[in-house]
Amino acid sequence: MSEFRLSFPACVVAGNSRLSAEDILLLRRYTFPEGVRTPDDVVTLMALNACCPDKCPEWADYFVEQMAGFIVDRCHPIGSLDEINVDWVERVLFKDGVVEGELEFAAVLHMMDIARHVPPSLKMLMLDQLRIALAEGRGAYAKRRALRTGIGADDVAYVQRILRDRLGQGAPLLSPVKEEILTAIDRGTSPHLRHPDWQAFIKTILPPSSLRHAQVEPARRWLQVPDSFFLDEDMAA
């Protein structure tokens, strides 16, 4: 069975405790002179990202641009994404339904930004990152959110970024699966923990039938007496 090995200078860079801007110049010149072009190049890029615990600020942009550029600009269909691309992204960058690495997460978002077409399946995967973050606290998106509980302004901006082609008058309707995910996100938070912009936004994209849940909280007695008190004949007498 063949074993993947890093070539020079990637093997030297991987052995460093810190990945510097000078290392990126070496990678650009010798390891990726034409950018990340092949699946082996992707493995090398991800290995470098995993091996070096400390990285210069320039690495984040380089990693995101190269990873997204490989999928969108090097793979068929050029300039766009299809279900085969999405399957590859899910197998390589996702684990148990979430993207765990912050740079990998940013790379997927960048793919969606630069591609002419993004399949619904990828949008659903990325919308689900918010649902999982709220329900389970897992994934890279859970770490970057401003709030631990509730829906914040950053969450609203995140959903709008994913669904930007479904916003505005005359935009196509959301698929039932996307509606289901957004409804689960909405129902998973108390009304007082939702940012005001979320309320306005969600009403424009979800049908009224999906918003009839728990909009009015159940009436509460001013005196907190258990129901069993009223069912006990001796107490009632």
Side-chain angles (χ1 to χ4, degrees), residues 119-198:
S121 56
L122 185 56
K123 296 178 183 178
M124 289 184 289
L125 283 171
M126 295 305 282
L127 284 177
D128 216 30
Q129 301 306 290
L130 173 55
R131 183 192 65 78
I132 294 173
L134 287 167
E136 306 173 30
R138 293 193 297 116
Y141 187 68
K143 299 173 187 175
R144 68 190 294 176
R145 296 179 64 241
L147 301 177
R148 290 295 182 90
T149 58
I151 298 174
D154 56 335
D155 298 320
V156 179
Y158 173 71
V159 174
Q160 290 176 334
R161 181 178 181 181
I162 295 171
L163 299 177
R164 60 186 181 276
D165 62 339
R166 291 294 187 270
L167 305 179
Q169 292 184 347
L173 297 176
L174 292 178
S175 68
V177 178
K178 290 195 190 79
E179 286 185 5
E180 184 178 347
I181 295 172
L182 289 173
T183 300
I185 292 170
D186 191 54
R187 291 183 178 180
T189 55
S190 300
H192 68 281
L193 294 178
R194 302 177 195 142
H195 192 276
D197 289 348
W198 173 263

Side-chain angles (χ1 to χ4, degrees), residues 81-151:
L81 297 172
D82 63 10
E83 292 297 342
I84 295 177
N85 301 144
V86 175
D87 181 65
W88 186 93
V89 167
E90 187 174 8
R91 285 187 290 106
V92 174
L93 302 181
F94 283 69
K95 182 179 179 182
D96 296 329
V98 297
V99 185
E100 295 184 336
E102 293 185 16
L103 295 187
E104 289 85 348
F105 181 83
V108 178
L109 283 179
H110 192 49
M111 292 174 200
M112 300 176 71
D113 287 342
I114 65 177
R116 291 193 303 270
H117 170 72
V118 179
S121 56
L122 185 56
K123 296 178 183 178
M124 289 184 289
L125 283 171
M126 295 305 282
L127 284 177
D128 216 30
Q129 301 306 290
L130 173 55
R131 183 192 65 78
I132 294 173
L134 287 167
E136 306 173 30
R138 293 193 297 116
Y141 187 68
K143 299 173 187 175
R144 68 190 294 176
R145 296 179 64 241
L147 301 177
R148 290 295 182 90
T149 58
I151 298 174

